[in-house]
Amino acid sequence: RKEVEQDPGPFNVPEGATVAFNCTYSNSASQSFFWYRQDCRKEPKLLMSVYSSGNEDGRFTAQLNRASQYISLLIRDSKLSDSATYLCVVNVGGKLIFGQGTELSVKP
Amino acid sequence: GAGVSQSPSNKVTEKGKDVELRCDPISGHTALYWYRQSLGQGLEFLIYFQGNSAPDKSGLPSDRFSAERTGGSVSTLTIQRTQQEDSAVYLCASSLDQGSTEAFFGQGTRLTVV
C-alpha cells in the first residue's frame, strides 16, 4: 500500500463547478499535511497547509481527519486557471511524502 | 536569485556513464530533499538531509544512487552506471526546517539516458 493515496484523475469540470479531492495516508505518526499544486512541466508549489480544525483560503478549503487518516481539498467556483495537478503531501518524521496527484482540467 | 537552483537543467548521457546533479538550496534552509518524477507520475522520494543529522536514504532505488550535502548547503546527487530507467526529472527542494513549513522546489534536472 502506498503511504499517500489520492483519487485517480483526471477530473474534467466546467468553469464555476465545485470539485473535491480526497487523500488517505497510512502512517498514523504523520505530523503535518499540505496540498501542493503542479502545473504541466513545472515544479510543485505549495497551495495550502492543512490544519486539524480545517482551514480556508479564498475558494479553497482543506480538511483533515486524523482518526480516519484522511485529507480533503474543496475548490469552489472553479476557474480555468485552476487546471493543474493537485498533490497531497504528508510529513513523516521530517520526510515529505507526495501522493501521485490528481489532475484537474477546468473547461469553459 | 533567492530560489532553489538546480544544474544542469537538462542532461543527456549514454547508458553506463556516471552523472552528477547539483542543487543550491535557499540560504538558511536546513532541510533539503531530492525527488524523482517520471513522465506522468508522482514525486518519488529519494533522500532527505536535515542539518547535521544523518540523511534519510530510504528512497534511493539502488546502490548506484548516492547524494551528499557539503557544509549544510549545496547538495550533489550522483547516479553511477546510468540505465535507461533512470531517465526522469530530478527535483530538489529545501525548507526552513524538517517538513513543517513550505518546501520550495527548484526547476529540476531533466535526465535522459540514451
Side-chain angles (χ1 to χ4, degrees), chain A residues 2 31-34 36 38 41-46 49 87 89 91-101, chain B residues 33 35 37 39-43 45 48 56 58-59 91 95 98-108 110:
Chain A
K2 291 181 182 174
Q31 299 159 286
S32 48
F33 310 88
F34 310 90
Y36 277 68
Q38 186 174 25
R41 293 186 168 265
K42 298 285 191 182
E43 73 276 18
K45 292 185 179 178
L46 179 69
S49 301
L87 301 162
V89 184
N91 170 7
V92 182
K95 187 168 72 177
L96 293 177
I97 304 298
F98 284 73
Q100 282 290 100
Chain B
Y33 312 84
Y35 294 88
Q37 187 171 35
L39 191 63
Q41 302 297 310
L43 275 71
F45 169 79
Y48 156 58
D56 180 337
S58 58
L91 289 160
S95 69
Q98 48 182 352
S100 61
T101 58
E102 181 175 1
F104 294 85
F105 281 81
Q107 293 193 323
R110 183 173 300 277

Side-chain angles (χ1 to χ4, degrees), chain B residues 26-45:
Chain B
I26 293 172
S27 178
H29 281 194
T30 61
L32 186 148
Y33 312 84
W34 282 99
Y35 294 88
R36 176 169 74 174
Q37 187 171 35
S38 301
L39 191 63
Q41 302 297 310
L43 275 71
E44 176 189 3
F45 169 79

Side-chain angles (χ1 to χ4, degrees), chain A residues 54-99:
Chain A
N55 48 298
E56 191 173 304
D57 182 1
R59 297 181 294 108
F60 299 84
T61 301
Q63 298 278 352
L64 167 64
N65 184 323
R66 283 188 184 270
S68 302
Q69 295 181 197
Y70 170 91
I71 306 161
S72 66
L73 176 69
L74 185 77
I75 305 175
R76 291 181 299 279
D77 189 22
S78 301
K79 311 291 184 192
L80 296 177
S81 57
D82 294 335
S83 297
T85 296
Y86 290 82
L87 301 162
C88 176
V89 184
V90 174
N91 170 7
V92 182
K95 187 168 72 177
L96 293 177
I97 304 298
F98 284 73

